[in-house]
Amino acid sequence: MYTKIMIPIDLKHIEQMGKALKVAADIGKLYGAEAHILGVGQTVPSQVARTPTEFADKLSAFALKSSESYGFTFDSHAEISHDPSVDLDNVLARAAKTIGSDLIVMASHTPGFAEHIFSSNAGYLASHADISVLVVR
């Protein structure tokens, strides 16, 4: 049913990604699908990485560690944005097309006041993507 799964993650909050990664691994095993962990870094130094190359290396290490933890192979796919806070939704949608994903498995958080005014990234993708989006809370 699914052949390529994209799992957007935030390296600043990897402790909150476990459930989504487990779901993606389980679906990947069930359907024999590829799984791509996607991270969006930036061109300027941040608390995660000083350079885009360092960001890609950290993402790759996280994918390797996740592969060992969940007994399923995760590939890493790094995207770089000038301002992820502004264009994250577009970067995620574009990356899904680049990867050729037919499913996005995305972690979410408990909605708060801000989500009553602004759409969350998961909510935006679920509403606008032309592929299936599974939001894991």
Side-chain angles (χ1 to χ4, degrees):
M1 181 164 194
Y2 298 110
T3 59
K4 290 188 181 182
I5 304 168
M6 182 178 89
I7 309 99
I9 63 108
D10 184 345
L11 286 176
K12 287 187 298 189
H13 303 287
I14 56 174
E15 68 282 350
Q16 298 172 0
M17 303 292 133
K19 197 170 178 183
L21 289 167
K22 170 129 178 48
V23 168
D26 289 346
I27 292 171
K29 290 174 189 175
L30 179 65
Y31 294 111
E34 296 175 14
H36 299 263
I37 293 178
L38 172 82
V40 180
Q42 49 191 353
T43 55
V44 297
S46 70
Q47 68 188 79
V48 173
R50 292 181 304 267
T51 66
T53 301
E54 183 183 357
F55 179 81
D57 291 345
K58 285 185 174 187
L59 185 66
S60 181
F62 178 74
L64 181 60
K65 183 178 175 184
S66 297
S67 296
E68 293 168 358
S69 295
Y70 298 100
F72 183 74
T73 302
F74 290 100
D75 294 322
S76 65
H77 184 92
E79 288 284 332
I80 303 301
S81 168
H82 294 290
D83 190 355
S85 63
V86 171
D87 63 351
L88 184 62
D89 294 330
N90 293 327
V91 172
L92 294 176
R94 185 176 62 243
K97 289 183 193 285
T98 300
I99 292 169
S101 300
D102 49 10
L103 174 64
I104 298 171
V105 175
M106 194 166 184
S108 183
H109 60 281
T110 304
F113 177 74
E115 283 74 30
H116 294 289
I117 300 169
F118 304 105
S119 174
S120 67
N121 299 112
Y124 178 86
L125 275 180
S127 297
H128 294 90
D130 57 357
I131 60 174
S132 297
V133 178
L134 175 58
V135 180
V136 179
R137 183 175 300 158

